[in-house]
Amino acid sequence: MSYSPPSSAKPFTLNIPDQDIDEWRQLLTLSKLAPETWEGSHEDGRYGVTHKWLRETKDYWLNTYDWRAEERRINSFPNYRMAIDGVDVHFVALFSSKKDAIPIQLLHGWPGSFVEFLPMLNLIRTQYPDAKDLPYHIIVPSLPGYPLSPRPTDRDWTMEESSTVLNQLMVNLGFTKYIAQGGDVGSFVAQSSAARYDECVGIHLNMFTGQTDNLELSELEKKSIASAQAWQETGIAYAQEHATRPSTIGSVLSSNPLALLAWIAEKLIEWTDTTPPLDHILTNITLYWYTSSILTSLYPYRQLFSKVLGAAAVPNVYISKPTGFSFFPHELSPGFKRVVEKGVNLVTYEEHEHGGHFAALEQPEALWGDVEAYVKIAWGKV
């Protein structure tokens, strides 16, 4: 008998009201660019986005970028919503007709969204054009507090709570076991699910935090660690702001689309070794704007940067379930094999010459190939 989603998974079509689009256009049109300065003239980005880039991108966003076309691209995939514990969870899914299809959950991070995985979903849909041939159920949730998944705002929220909600999503879909894949915040949520829930029987990651030694580094590892160290020295102030003053920075970014553009685009450009297409950058930022979700997306930083706050760190628990890892050299927190295998039961490890923090967006073929190879090994061990 083929799979069909439960009635609690409500089909969803993204359609931003014209009034919201008109308001965005008016606000962006009236948003004032900073004056041209020495700091804003460095093309290498040492002081952030340049005046030239922001000026030209503002013009492109207003006069060339087509949001309705991007809506159609998003809606070309099956979208759903499901109410779980006070969160109206949004997710995109490719459901298989195969009885023994393997459920895989793909988890994004900050400042990303589910749209990071659309290139990968397109690859999968091309690879398996008929649902009866698809060997997987692919579930791509929007994390609670991120675009299209509003979370409760009258109390604190943690990554463990996100893990609980997203595990329950898989249970509600009828899956007694599943694999989770994640980078950035998604990597922590996946690890939390693996540590806390029996249904999450394995994880695949493309980011890992751990103590890295400088002994016997390969040339690729030397390049990677130099990039990560440079980010630690010059690029981490934003995270301290998120951790300690989220209300202030969230209020600033929620008031002005040009401010949001500068804040998020800087990361999408700097944290990759090949800048993503401009339309991909703008679609991600536009989603944050229309869903008013930038402030509610900042909660992970209170846990991740505990040294700043003097709070309890994210639990560092050994993951005994089979784990796969993809190494991309421009990752902010690159996982060297000898480091990763100390924290997880590592069954696959793939090293790539190119790619950075947004692997699903930058290198969808490589990441999906790694996930498929991992699943073939890991699923047989559970």
Side-chain angles (χ1 to χ4, degrees), residues 83-311:
I84 303 174
D85 296 339
V87 180
D88 192 10
V89 181
H90 163 266
F91 63 99
V92 177
L94 299 179
F95 290 120
S96 172
S97 297
K98 294 172 70 71
K99 185 178 180 180
D100 59 349
I102 300 169
I104 303 174
Q105 187 182 71
L106 305 176
L107 302 174
H108 67 82
W110 191 93
S113 65
F114 73 96
V115 297
E116 286 180 52
F117 287 104
L118 295 188
M120 186 185 293
L121 290 181
N122 197 51
L123 282 173
I124 297 169
R125 195 163 56 177
T126 301
Q127 184 180 0
Y128 303 104
D130 195 318
K132 71 178 188 300
D133 299 321
L134 179 62
Y136 319 103
H137 298 296
I138 308 294
I139 316 297
V140 186
S142 296
L143 269 62
Y146 288 72
L148 297 179
S149 283
R151 65 166 176 83
T153 56
D154 59 350
R155 59 181 176 83
D156 195 11
W157 189 266
T158 67
M159 288 185 289
E160 287 80 9
E161 288 177 284
S162 291
S163 167
T164 297
V165 168
L166 296 180
N167 180 77
Q168 192 62 46
L169 169 65
M170 301 302 278
V171 172
N172 290 358
L173 289 173
F175 304 133
T176 58
K177 59 181 183 176
Y178 67 92
I179 297 288
Q181 197 287 327
D184 191 72
V185 175
S187 71
F188 295 104
V189 174
Q191 289 174 76
S192 177
S193 294
R196 299 165 66 226
Y197 296 109
D198 293 339
E199 293 88 358
C200 183
V201 296
I203 57 174
H204 184 278
L205 309 173
N206 53 277
M207 190 185 85
F208 190 82
T209 57
Q211 190 63 40
T212 301
D213 59 58
N214 291 312
L215 300 176
E216 300 180 2
L217 294 175
S218 69
E219 289 304 312
L220 187 63
E221 288 174 336
K222 289 177 182 177
K223 177 182 176 183
S224 180
I225 203 168
S227 175
Q229 287 174 343
W231 175 73
Q232 287 282 344
E233 292 170 3
T234 66
I236 208 169
Y238 85 95
Q240 296 176 347
E241 179 75 12
H242 288 186
T244 60
R245 296 294 186 272
S247 182
T248 300
I249 189 61
S251 297
V252 170
L253 300 177
S254 297
S255 69
N256 186 313
L258 189 64
L260 188 66
L261 172 64
W263 195 256
I264 292 182
E266 176 194 84
K267 283 70 177 174
L268 286 162
I269 294 170
E270 183 180 348
W271 298 353
T272 57
D273 58 3
T274 302
T275 300
L278 185 55
D279 278 7
H280 285 251
I281 294 175
L282 292 177
T283 296
N284 187 67
I285 295 169
T286 305
L287 270 171
Y288 271 90
W289 178 260
Y290 286 142
T291 57
S292 300
S293 55
I294 188 62
L295 176 52
T296 59
S297 74
L298 303 183
Y299 61 89
Y301 288 87
R302 293 193 288 278
Q303 291 177 272
L304 295 174
F305 288 81
S306 57
K307 290 181 180 178
V308 176
L309 297 173

Side-chain angles (χ1 to χ4, degrees), residues 44-62:
D44 61 6
R46 72 183 70 174
Y47 297 122
V49 293
T50 66
H51 183 279
K52 177 177 180 290
W53 187 92
L54 201 57
R55 181 184 71 246
E56 292 177 351
T57 304
K58 175 186 175 181
D59 179 75
Y60 180 88
W61 203 8
L62 277 170

Side-chain angles (χ1 to χ4, degrees), residues 320-332:
S320 60
K321 295 172 181 176
T323 302
F325 192 85
S326 293
F327 171 87
F328 294 95
H330 205 67
E331 173 57 66
L332 304 179

Side-chain angles (χ1 to χ4, degrees), residues 313-324:
V314 176
N316 184 18
V317 179
Y318 180 83
I319 303 299
S320 60
K321 295 172 181 176
T323 302

